[in-house]
Amino acid sequence: MSKSSAPREGSLIERAAQIYDFDAQFRVRRADRAATREAQAQAQEAEETAPGLPAHTFLDDAPAPPPGAMTMSPEVAATLAAIPLELRDFAVQADDDGWENPSGVAHIDRAMLAGKGMLVPGAPVGALAEEFRMVKRQLLLNARTIAAGAPERRARTILVGSGKPGEGKTFCAINLAISLAAERDVEVLLVDADFAKPDVMASLGLDDSTGLLDIISDQTLDPEAFVLKTDVPQLSLLPAGARSHADTELLASVRTAQVLDQLLAADPRRIIVFDSPPALAASPASVLALLVAQVMLVVRADRTTDSDVREAVALLDGCEHISLVLNATSYEPHRGRFGSYYGQGK
């Protein structure tokens, strides 16, 4: 949805409520929590009644899960088990699989991704994967159009933001980056640009390190030297860097544009995805919007108001191309669902 076609009548919640059953997702979450507690209780009971079995041994001789797997929900365990061995995270693999850790590669925690309900690289295609396929396809088409008309606009940059905290921008930024990395002809760099509350690295099971603000502050630093390669093919990361009370001023400097151009020039196939601060809560978002070609504004169906959307779009108006993504909608069985097609038999 472009910024020029913002809704005119009724709030976003009122219109969405006519279509979606918002209570359904909470009923599902309660059911999931109950199922998880039951699975944990059964696992503990099995451990107590079979003391002769080694820890994490399954009676069906399935490969032993990693430490802590006994507390995974059945859904998370099933997701991880479906990933081909050669695509799994090192922490999920058996010790004797013959795959050594390459040096200098950040290992993304697949179990953590699955536990947070995010896309898991290598897992079977499901509803979320299909939804982000559609989202990224439109963004890639926009990038191609922008590059053809105004290449100086850094067509290969996308800012993912929201109006307020808690609307799912980091969730969407990570999933978008993972989905884009599955493309055949791109390299993806996910940048944590939420400097006050960086969460990208923690969400992937990684520690923070030297990042964007550090590079902007010190002109002697080579940006490419701090790009972290990951064990997800074609996906790299750049942390937020040390916190600063002058983050907005640093972003507004000439150095920021130079760093961004250096990162783009380092790989002509690179797409840079920024996880931005909420536009209505922190000023850096509006500065970043001046530097990127596209903004993907995350709108939460059960929380974001129409006025929030309008105010956020106004603050991000420095970018000409703003698209809205509706997050946290409920699934209605009679309406069908993306991803179910892949699970059907012939």
Side-chain angles (χ1 to χ4, degrees), residues 12-14 16-17 20-27 301-302 328-330:
L12 185 65
I13 294 178
E14 290 170 342
Y20 300 103
D21 176 14
F22 291 144
D23 290 335
Q25 61 181 344
F26 300 108
R27 291 195 296 273
D302 58 348
T329 59
S330 298

Side-chain angles (χ1 to χ4, degrees), residues 243-294:
R243 296 186 183 186
S244 169
H245 295 300
D247 51 4
T248 300
E249 290 74 19
L250 284 169
L251 286 176
S253 68
V254 174
R255 168 69 173 165
T256 304
Q258 294 172 343
V259 168
L260 183 51
D261 288 337
Q262 282 181 265
L263 290 170
L264 288 169
D267 190 337
R269 303 194 311 159
R270 176 176 283 168
I271 294 176
I272 302 180
V273 177
F274 292 91
D275 178 30
S276 161
L280 301 181
S283 56
S286 58
V287 178
L288 283 167
L290 295 167
L291 300 170
V292 299
Q294 297 186 70

Side-chain angles (χ1 to χ4, degrees), residues 106-109 112 200-208 228 230 237:
H107 309 306
I108 290 178
D109 190 335
M112 183 174 290
V200 168
M201 303 300 285
S203 295
L204 299 174
L206 300 170
D207 295 327
D208 282 315
L228 303 176
T230 75
L237 306 170

